[in-house]
Amino acid sequence: MSIQAAKASDRTGEADLHDRPAAEIRRRGACPALAAPMPTGDGLLVRLRPAGGALTPSQFASLARSAAAHGNGILEITARGNLQIRGLRAETVGQLAADVDAAGITVPDGPAIEISPLHGIDPEEICDPAAMEMALRSTLRDQLASPRLAPKLSLVVDGGGSFGLSALSADIRVVAQSDTDWLVAINGDGETSTPAAIGLAESAISAVGEIFSLLANLGQGRRARDIDPALLRTCFPAMDGIQFIPSRAAAMPLAGSHRLKDGKTILGLRPEFGQMRASDLITLLDLATDRGATAIRLAPGRGFFLIGLSADTVPAMQIDAARHGFAAQPGDNSEHIAACAGAGACGSAFYETRTLARHLIGVAPALFDGSLTLHLSGCPKGCAHARPALTLTGSAEGYGLILNGLAADLPDERIAGGRIDFAIERLARAIEDNKDAGESTAACLTRLGATGVSKALRQE
């Protein structure tokens, strides 16, 4: 990451920030990197992906201290395993950038390349994706830096193993097929993406470069979904002959203690709703370091792995983690909720998302069978979740309930403010009362539809 660009913002006051042309301020939907933070309701937001998604405990603690000193002390891990620091100001972004440098944290330029979080340490891994990431960045350096690529262009390099990335959707996927061959596919996850090429590492890298060229020629900001299939076949005439078995294997759960095949123990932790306060994180990392933790791996699913703990220290670490707001056991209902910072932390939010989330976990268990995500969005921006979900959006008029959509979509039902928790409880009861045997919550909601849900919400 070029720190000089970030430090330029250190000379810009907040008044100047609002006077800058819109093109100079990172637009919503772009990746808010250090060089171009994104304005939000609680200040500026910076998103970082350290090289390989890897940090030492001391580096992670340094980031937490910097977030407290230069932001509002709130850090988040996104659904894709990236790190966000909130509440920065124009004059403090450069100070954060300097702290990142001082901690020895490398943040590569260009689009994030997400790799398997247990790369290099998972004995079930087919091939180490870290080497492939380095080769992609080295060989395709100029293309990765091109302003014609979409800011949120997503690349996944999946080496397989215990925590593969088959569930993670991406514009471009590079997936290990053997210890020598890699599959290159576009637009989708491990099951739905379209294979384009397969071969040795050099051939796979060349194929990714061709896809970059296609995207650049289509126009600035285009995504893999915009590539015409006929054009793709022209570039990759052998693609229809690729023997491709879609990956449907579920990865191991993030939260909890896991013993790898070689006997090593790792501990997966998930901050409540993906958000943590710097003070809690620093305390947790101090405890983990005292118990032998040597590394952190950020992971998709809004969490991270602690590496290096001995098996006998894990139970005490799990207890301490829970005390500081981190889920340390699988099956926690909070993993099915995507909640933004909410009122009190973000000036754009109209309700306290996390307070409502905690309440609903206790009183509306029917919502949390794992078949859907409940998205609690304090405003229509929908920062916490970019995919369709059962969504509750806040506004000045109250709440909008969207059965399967985004926070900005037209609500299926409008709910006046004041007693939203009771309205959602009614919805949960309606699901319990109407579920057929073996039917999931998501399927029941689909069957009820807007009319059935509206009727349930109006029942006394």
Side-chain angles (χ1 to χ4, degrees):
M1 168 62 65
S2 171
I3 300 302
Q4 286 75 20
K7 287 182 177 177
S9 66
D10 188 43
R11 299 187 294 271
T12 305
E14 284 201 317
D16 295 329
L17 179 67
H18 296 292
D19 293 334
R20 286 159 57 191
E24 293 182 22
I25 298 177
R26 198 63 159 182
R27 68 183 183 277
R28 182 161 297 281
C31 285
L34 268 173
M38 185 173 72
T40 68
D42 58 344
L44 299 178
L45 179 146
V46 158
R47 183 177 301 150
L48 306 174
R49 181 167 181 82
L55 294 164
T56 66
S58 63
Q59 286 175 330
F60 205 4
S62 293
L63 280 176
R65 286 191 289 269
S66 189
H70 308 308
N72 60 11
I74 294 176
L75 300 92
E76 296 171 325
I77 302 178
T78 71
R80 301 187 73 90
N82 298 312
L83 186 65
Q84 294 185 161
I85 296 175
R86 305 189 66 95
L88 296 160
R89 302 184 305 281
E91 66 270 20
T92 63
V93 174
Q95 295 164 358
L96 172 68
D99 288 347
V100 169
D101 275 352
I105 299 169
T106 301
V107 183
D109 287 316
I113 299 179
E114 291 143 349
I115 67 176
S116 314
L118 301 183
H119 60 86
I121 61 174
D122 184 351
E124 296 186 62
E125 192 171 62
I126 299 171
C127 196
D128 186 353
M132 173 57 81
E133 179 192 6
M134 291 178 62
L136 284 167
R137 292 194 182 280
S138 174
T139 307
L140 307 178
R141 181 185 300 110
D142 291 343
Q143 286 180 288
L144 280 165
S146 170
R148 295 184 68 80
L149 291 182
K152 292 198 75 173
L153 187 76
S154 54
L155 289 84
V156 162
V157 181
D158 189 353
S162 303
F163 201 96
L165 302 181
S166 60
L168 206 61
S169 182
D171 287 282
I172 304 172
R173 306 181 63 80
V174 184
V175 184
Q177 303 295 287
S178 69
D179 58 359
T180 58
D181 286 344
W182 294 84
L183 172 76
V184 178
I186 70 165
N187 189 33
D189 57 25
E191 185 175 355
T192 63
S193 58
T194 300
I198 191 169
L200 300 176
E202 294 79 3
S203 298
I205 293 168
S206 176
V208 173
E210 288 188 61
I211 295 169
F212 283 163
S213 295
L214 282 178
L215 292 170
N217 290 335
L218 285 175
Q220 188 172 15
R222 303 302 287 273
R223 305 291 292 272
R225 59 178 175 266
D226 300 317
I227 299 175
D228 183 86
L231 180 59
L232 189 68
R233 284 183 172 82
T234 300
C235 292
F236 300 101
M239 61 180 284
D240 289 329
I242 294 175
Q243 298 299 311
F244 171 56
I245 301 176
S247 175
R248 299 182 179 89
M252 71 181 190
L254 194 162
S257 174
H258 310 286
R259 195 170 181 84
L260 301 181
K261 266 192 170 182
D262 60 0
K264 292 178 181 175
T265 299
I266 60 173
L267 179 61
L269 300 176
R270 181 185 289 106
E272 187 181 42
F273 314 120
Q275 188 177 98
M276 53 205 158
R277 294 200 172 275
S279 56
D280 289 325
L281 178 59
I282 292 168
T283 300
L284 180 82
L285 292 170
D286 285 344
L287 291 167
T289 300
D290 290 343
R291 292 182 174 128
T294 57
I296 306 292
R297 296 291 181 85
L298 303 176
R302 305 181 189 275
F304 59 90
F305 291 106
L306 284 176
I307 314 296
L309 296 172
S310 59
D312 62 321
T313 65
V314 167
M317 194 70 236
Q318 288 176 298
I319 293 171
D320 285 332
R323 287 173 178 161
H324 292 281
F326 294 81
Q329 301 284 357
D332 191 291
N333 280 340
S334 65
E335 68 184 74
H336 305 304
I337 299 178
C340 70
C346 178
S348 296
F350 288 93
Y351 71 98
E352 295 183 358
T353 54
R354 297 174 193 287
T355 300
L356 180 59
R358 296 184 192 104
H359 176 75
L360 294 178
I361 286 173
V363 302
L367 294 176
F368 307 111
D369 66 348
S371 65
L372 55 75
T373 295
L374 174 62
H375 179 192
L376 301 180
S377 184
C379 76
K381 295 175 186 175
C383 300
H385 194 70
R387 292 185 176 185
L390 176 61
T391 302
L392 189 68
T393 302
S395 70
E397 292 75 35
Y399 303 84
L401 181 66
I402 301 149
L403 297 184
N404 185 31
L406 307 177
D409 290 347
L410 188 68
D412 294 297
E413 183 72 18
R414 296 188 185 276
I415 304 168
R419 295 177 67 80
I420 183 61
D421 47 351
F422 294 106
I424 301 300
E425 286 178 45
R426 284 195 199 102
L427 177 60
R429 284 199 301 272
I431 292 168
E432 290 177 325
D433 293 342
N434 288 277
K435 254 187 184 183
D436 291 333
E439 188 177 33
S440 70
T441 293
C444 182
L445 272 176
T446 299
R447 182 168 54 79
L448 288 174
T451 301
V453 168
S454 178
K455 181 180 178 181
L457 293 177
R458 283 166 172 72
Q459 288 178 347
E460 293 299 333

